[in-house]
């Protein structure tokens, strides 16, 4: 935990907050911090800053926070064909750590229907995992999440509302154009990257994406599993955006 | 499984091989392939090619292989401070899939000693995981693996023998130089990238690495967990090498 993240409701107007859960345990047992020590803190979807520990009596850590600016909002959004629940569970924290503005989960021909019937898609499950990723990466921007059981209505009717601006890329092992070439050529402010299921998008899905502004990009001849591909591709998009700006 | 990988001993001189294990199950139940169908095959540390299924009687898949060239050897080597066993177990297949020539696992101050006492570091455990990653990514080059319980003798005495040529980079969240700038500036044939433990290398370790030719490289302001960092950094190094050659 490289940042202690607070919910807006947890921080009083005078900057005081009480930690009693795993964050208190982390402060006391991992950081071994006591009264007077400073911590990096942030508010979910708000600013970051520093906190001074006021007391640690009875395992309750009381801190006084001074906030400065909010970190920049991640410039990448992700359209992801829903992977199986075990993989999705592992991905939440990693996606938040890598920095994603919006996570749009979708069906596709090669997504099994029962993948949708899992508590891994319940906010009560994934929100703490997203927060864990933000605390790891020192960010406060909680990714927005939506789940779509129908691919075509999503792409045709809903996606423009969810992701109104920026470049659209779709990962395709067969594509010769690299992520960097595609991002560098346009230097848009945001990038929406689509990553298909194990086995790939079918040809209808790929055509529909291309008809809605997605450019196919590759990353060499290796075929990666969804979770590895997500991390690798988000790293490449992030790097391309940083160096094009 | 995008490639059926065979051990050299499994393939007869006439190109015939018998699959009876999970590879046979995969061919029959996932690919639903029967006699006459073709498969992508490879030999561990050898060439890739195509195989024709001759028979599938009794669940034993007999194939006849025709090999062509070996894939190019991965140009990245990894010096990794040993992560905890659960993380290391998940990394093996991902590292092989991303393409790593050599995996050098090392101790560091912030590595807990008991991490070394795990069967995750036994070849009998990790070799099938590496093979799984190669079959995913369609590669035949099994990463070479060595485990080092002492950091200083490794860096001072052994590393030049293990990784004699190429650029040396060390991931450092504080570094301003990007991976692409470092790789592009030299355009070496190989890159050895060092990735530290959760919490980072200590200052002695970082100085020792820099004294032995490692250049610090960063990838933005986000701090990632070891497993996410490995995938992200290997993707960036691979991309930089591809575009510099």
């Amino acid at each position: 935990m490289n940042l202690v993240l607070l919910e807006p409701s947890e921080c009083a107007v005078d900057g005081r907050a009480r930690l009693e859960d795993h964050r208190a345990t982390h402060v006391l047992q991992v950081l071994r911090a006591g009264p007077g020590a400073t911590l990096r803190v942030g508010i979910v979807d708000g600013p970051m800053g520093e906190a001074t520990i006021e007391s640690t009596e009875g395992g309750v850590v009381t801190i006084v926070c001074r906030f400065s600016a909010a970190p920049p909002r991640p410039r990448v959004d992700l359209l992801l064909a829903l992977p199986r629940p075990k993989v999705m569970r592992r991905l939440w924290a990693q996606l938040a750590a890598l920095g994603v503005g919006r996570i749009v989960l979708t069906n596709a021909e090669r997504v099994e229907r029962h993948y949708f019937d899992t508590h891994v898609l319940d906010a009560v499950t994934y929100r703490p995992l997203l927060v864990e990723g933000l605390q790891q990466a020192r960010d406060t921007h909680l990714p927005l999440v939506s789940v779509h059981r129908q691919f075509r209505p999503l792409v045709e009717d809903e996606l423009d509302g969810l992701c109104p601006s920026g470049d659209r890329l779709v990962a395709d092992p067969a594509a010769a154009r690299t992520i960097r070439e595609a991002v560098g050529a346009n230097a848009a402010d945001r990038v929406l990257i689509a990553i298909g299921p194990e086995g790939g998008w079918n040809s209808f899905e790929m055509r529909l994406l291309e008809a809605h502004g997605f450019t196919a990009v590759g990353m060499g001849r290796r075929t990666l599993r969804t979770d590895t591909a997500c991390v690798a591709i988000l790293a490449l998009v992030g790097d391309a955006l940083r160096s094009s700006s």
Side-chain angles (χ1 to χ4, degrees), chain A residues 7-230:
Chain A
E7 299 293 338
S9 61
E10 288 182 303
C11 195
V13 285
D14 64 356
R16 217 165 240 98
R18 284 163 54 91
L19 309 176
E20 304 181 62
D21 54 10
H22 64 280
R23 293 169 298 180
T25 314
H26 183 85
V27 168
L28 297 172
Q29 293 182 8
V30 181
L31 303 179
R32 295 169 195 274
T38 58
L39 306 170
R40 264 186 296 258
V41 290
I43 300 268
V44 173
D45 287 326
M48 294 204 290
E50 271 204 339
T52 306
I53 297 179
E54 202 171 55
S55 84
T56 61
E57 266 170 61
V60 177
V61 177
T62 307
I63 57 177
V64 182
C65 308
R66 296 167 303 285
F67 293 104
S68 44
R73 185 181 167 214
R75 292 163 63 194
V76 184
D77 300 310
L78 175 64
L79 169 62
L80 177 64
L82 184 63
R84 61 198 163 91
K86 188 178 153 189
V87 173
M88 192 63 231
R89 171 181 287 280
R90 271 211 304 269
L91 267 177
W92 288 118
Q94 297 192 84
L95 296 180
L98 287 157
V100 177
R102 184 181 279 280
I103 301 169
V104 180
L105 296 171
T106 179
N107 196 11
E109 187 197 348
R110 292 177 192 140
V111 169
E112 294 188 36
R113 291 305 167 104
H114 70 85
Y115 290 179
F116 285 89
D117 307 324
T118 165
H119 64 278
V120 173
L121 299 183
D122 296 340
V124 68
T125 303
Y126 68 69
R127 196 175 189 284
L129 298 169
L130 293 175
V131 166
E132 180 193 318
L134 296 179
Q135 292 186 134
Q136 166 69 39
R138 290 182 202 148
D139 192 1
T140 66
H141 293 283
L142 197 73
L144 301 168
V145 176
S146 58
V147 181
H148 305 262
R149 283 173 178 256
Q150 292 190 286
F151 179 77
R152 187 171 179 168
L154 166 65
V155 175
E156 292 187 337
D157 306 327
E158 299 165 51
L159 205 52
D160 286 347
L162 294 169
C163 302
S165 69
D167 278 349
R168 292 177 169 188
L169 309 179
V170 51
D172 177 1
R177 196 175 176 81
T178 67
I179 288 171
R180 194 186 326 159
E181 287 164 354
V183 172
N186 298 288
D189 188 50
R190 301 193 66 75
V191 168
L192 168 62
I193 175 85
I195 299 178
E198 305 285 347
W201 304 106
N202 69 19
S203 58
F204 166 78
E205 291 159 352
M206 188 58 97
R207 277 202 308 274
L208 195 69
L209 288 170
E210 289 178 337
H212 286 80
F214 286 82
T215 303
V217 289
M219 49 172 293
R221 60 170 201 86
R222 311 182 81 88
T223 309
L224 301 174
R225 251 175 23 200
T226 293
D227 48 348
T228 314
C230 277

